[in-house]
PDB file of all heavy atoms in Angstrom:
ATOM      1  N   GLU A  83     -10.394  -7.381 -25.187  1.00 95.00           N
ATOM      2  CA  GLU A  83     -11.140  -8.578 -25.567  1.00 95.00           C
ATOM      3  C   GLU A  83     -11.891  -9.186 -24.401  1.00 95.00           C
ATOM      4  O   GLU A  83     -12.316 -10.333 -24.455  1.00 95.00           O
ATOM      5  CB  GLU A  83     -10.134  -9.600 -26.102  1.00 95.00           C
ATOM      6  CG  GLU A  83      -9.332  -9.119 -27.307  1.00 95.00           C
ATOM      7  CD  GLU A  83     -10.218  -8.692 -28.471  1.00 95.00           C
ATOM      8  OE1 GLU A  83     -11.081  -9.512 -28.859  1.00 95.00           O
ATOM      9  OE2 GLU A  83     -10.033  -7.566 -28.976  1.00 95.00           O
ATOM     10  N   TRP A  84     -12.038  -8.398 -23.264  1.00 96.00           N
ATOM     11  CA  TRP A  84     -12.651  -8.974 -22.092  1.00 96.00           C
ATOM     12  C   TRP A  84     -13.656  -8.058 -21.448  1.00 96.00           C
ATOM     13  O   TRP A  84     -13.599  -6.826 -21.604  1.00 96.00           O
ATOM     14  CB  TRP A  84     -11.518  -9.238 -21.031  1.00 96.00           C
ATOM     15  CG  TRP A  84     -10.484 -10.199 -21.479  1.00 96.00           C
ATOM     16  CD1 TRP A  84      -9.364  -9.907 -22.231  1.00 96.00           C
ATOM     17  CD2 TRP A  84     -10.443 -11.632 -21.247  1.00 96.00           C
ATOM     18  NE1 TRP A  84      -8.624 -11.046 -22.436  1.00 96.00           N
ATOM     19  CE2 TRP A  84      -9.264 -12.091 -21.853  1.00 96.00           C
ATOM     20  CE3 TRP A  84     -11.293 -12.499 -20.572  1.00 96.00           C
ATOM     21  CZ2 TRP A  84      -8.899 -13.453 -21.818  1.00 96.00           C
ATOM     22  CZ3 TRP A  84     -10.913 -13.849 -20.528  1.00 96.00           C
ATOM     23  CH2 TRP A  84      -9.745 -14.309 -21.187  1.00 96.00           C
ATOM     24  N   TRP A  85     -14.605  -8.659 -20.704  1.00 96.00           N
ATOM     25  CA  TRP A  85     -15.470  -7.958 -19.793  1.00 96.00           C
ATOM     26  C   TRP A  85     -14.934  -8.130 -18.354  1.00 96.00           C
ATOM     27  O   TRP A  85     -14.736  -9.286 -17.926  1.00 96.00           O
ATOM     28  CB  TRP A  85     -16.911  -8.493 -19.855  1.00 96.00           C
ATOM     29  CG  TRP A  85     -17.635  -8.176 -21.114  1.00 96.00           C
ATOM     30  CD1 TRP A  85     -17.876  -8.976 -22.161  1.00 96.00           C
ATOM     31  CD2 TRP A  85     -18.293  -6.927 -21.377  1.00 96.00           C
ATOM     32  NE1 TRP A  85     -18.595  -8.330 -23.131  1.00 96.00           N
ATOM     33  CE2 TRP A  85     -18.859  -7.056 -22.664  1.00 96.00           C
ATOM     34  CE3 TRP A  85     -18.425  -5.714 -20.724  1.00 96.00           C
ATOM     35  CZ2 TRP A  85     -19.584  -6.040 -23.266  1.00 96.00           C
ATOM     36  CZ3 TRP A  85     -19.117  -4.678 -21.319  1.00 96.00           C
ATOM     37  CH2 TRP A  85     -19.706  -4.819 -22.581  1.00 96.00           C
ATOM     38  N   TYR A  86     -14.708  -7.045 -17.651  1.00 97.00           N
ATOM     39  CA  TYR A  86     -14.123  -7.093 -16.306  1.00 97.00           C
ATOM     40  C   TYR A  86     -15.242  -6.713 -15.255  1.00 97.00           C
ATOM     41  O   TYR A  86     -15.998  -5.816 -15.497  1.00 97.00           O
ATOM     42  CB  TYR A  86     -12.994  -6.140 -16.165  1.00 97.00           C
ATOM     43  CG  TYR A  86     -11.760  -6.562 -16.988  1.00 97.00           C
ATOM     44  CD1 TYR A  86     -11.644  -6.241 -18.321  1.00 97.00           C
ATOM     45  CD2 TYR A  86     -10.791  -7.364 -16.402  1.00 97.00           C
ATOM     46  CE1 TYR A  86     -10.523  -6.639 -19.055  1.00 97.00           C
ATOM     47  CE2 TYR A  86      -9.662  -7.785 -17.138  1.00 97.00           C
ATOM     48  CZ  TYR A  86      -9.550  -7.387 -18.506  1.00 97.00           C
ATOM     49  OH  TYR A  86      -8.470  -7.838 -19.222  1.00 97.00           O
ATOM     50  N   PHE A  87     -15.255  -7.417 -14.161  1.00 96.00           N
ATOM     51  CA  PHE A  87     -16.256  -7.171 -13.122  1.00 96.00           C
ATOM     52  C   PHE A  87     -15.713  -7.638 -11.753  1.00 96.00           C
ATOM     53  O   PHE A  87     -14.681  -8.310 -11.669  1.00 96.00           O
ATOM     54  CB  PHE A  87     -17.563  -7.824 -13.494  1.00 96.00           C
ATOM     55  CG  PHE A  87     -17.455  -9.296 -13.696  1.00 96.00           C
ATOM     56  CD1 PHE A  87     -17.701 -10.244 -12.714  1.00 96.00           C
ATOM     57  CD2 PHE A  87     -17.111  -9.768 -14.979  1.00 96.00           C
ATOM     58  CE1 PHE A  87     -17.596 -11.599 -12.941  1.00 96.00           C
ATOM     59  CE2 PHE A  87     -16.993 -11.150 -15.269  1.00 96.00           C
ATOM     60  CZ  PHE A  87     -17.243 -12.082 -14.227  1.00 96.00           C
ATOM     61  N   THR A  88     -16.498  -7.288 -10.719  1.00 95.00           N
ATOM     62  CA  THR A  88     -16.132  -7.712  -9.408  1.00 95.00           C
ATOM     63  C   THR A  88     -17.296  -8.377  -8.713  1.00 95.00           C
ATOM     64  O   THR A  88     -18.438  -7.933  -8.807  1.00 95.00           O
ATOM     65  CB  THR A  88     -15.690  -6.495  -8.511  1.00 95.00           C
ATOM     66  OG1 THR A  88     -14.655  -5.798  -9.153  1.00 95.00           O
ATOM     67  CG2 THR A  88     -15.317  -6.899  -7.100  1.00 95.00           C
ATOM     68  N   ARG A  89     -17.039  -9.545  -8.116  1.00 94.00           N
ATOM     69  CA  ARG A  89     -18.034 -10.245  -7.341  1.00 94.00           C
ATOM     70  C   ARG A  89     -17.871  -9.985  -5.857  1.00 94.00           C
ATOM     71  O   ARG A  89     -16.721  -9.828  -5.368  1.00 94.00           O
ATOM     72  CB  ARG A  89     -17.955 -11.743  -7.557  1.00 94.00           C
ATOM     73  CG  ARG A  89     -18.362 -12.208  -8.931  1.00 94.00           C
ATOM     74  CD  ARG A  89     -18.554 -13.745  -8.943  1.00 94.00           C
ATOM     75  NE  ARG A  89     -18.902 -14.209 -10.253  1.00 94.00           N
ATOM     76  CZ  ARG A  89     -20.151 -14.167 -10.737  1.00 94.00           C
ATOM     77  NH1 ARG A  89     -21.109 -13.639 -10.014  1.00 94.00           N
ATOM     78  NH2 ARG A  89     -20.399 -14.638 -11.969  1.00 94.00           N
ATOM     79  N   THR A  90     -18.984  -9.894  -5.119  1.00 95.00           N
ATOM     80  CA  THR A  90     -18.948  -9.942  -3.653  1.00 95.00           C
ATOM     81  C   THR A  90     -19.720 -11.150  -3.240  1.00 95.00           C
ATOM     82  O   THR A  90     -20.717 -11.558  -3.889  1.00 95.00           O
ATOM     83  CB  THR A  90     -19.590  -8.681  -3.054  1.00 95.00           C
ATOM     84  OG1 THR A  90     -20.904  -8.498  -3.542  1.00 95.00           O
ATOM     85  CG2 THR A  90     -18.747  -7.458  -3.332  1.00 95.00           C
ATOM     86  N   VAL A  91     -19.241 -11.781  -2.191  1.00 95.00           N
ATOM     87  CA  VAL A  91     -19.828 -13.035  -1.705  1.00 95.00           C
ATOM     88  C   VAL A  91     -20.187 -12.905  -0.237  1.00 95.00           C
ATOM     89  O   VAL A  91     -19.394 -12.366   0.547  1.00 95.00           O
ATOM     90  CB  VAL A  91     -18.858 -14.218  -1.905  1.00 95.00           C
ATOM     91  CG1 VAL A  91     -19.432 -15.525  -1.367  1.00 95.00           C
ATOM     92  CG2 VAL A  91     -18.488 -14.390  -3.386  1.00 95.00           C
TER      93      VAL A  91
END
Side-chain angles (χ1 to χ4, degrees):
E83 304 298 310
W84 300 84
W85 288 102
Y86 292 86
F87 55 94
T88 302
R89 290 194 181 279
T90 55
V91 177

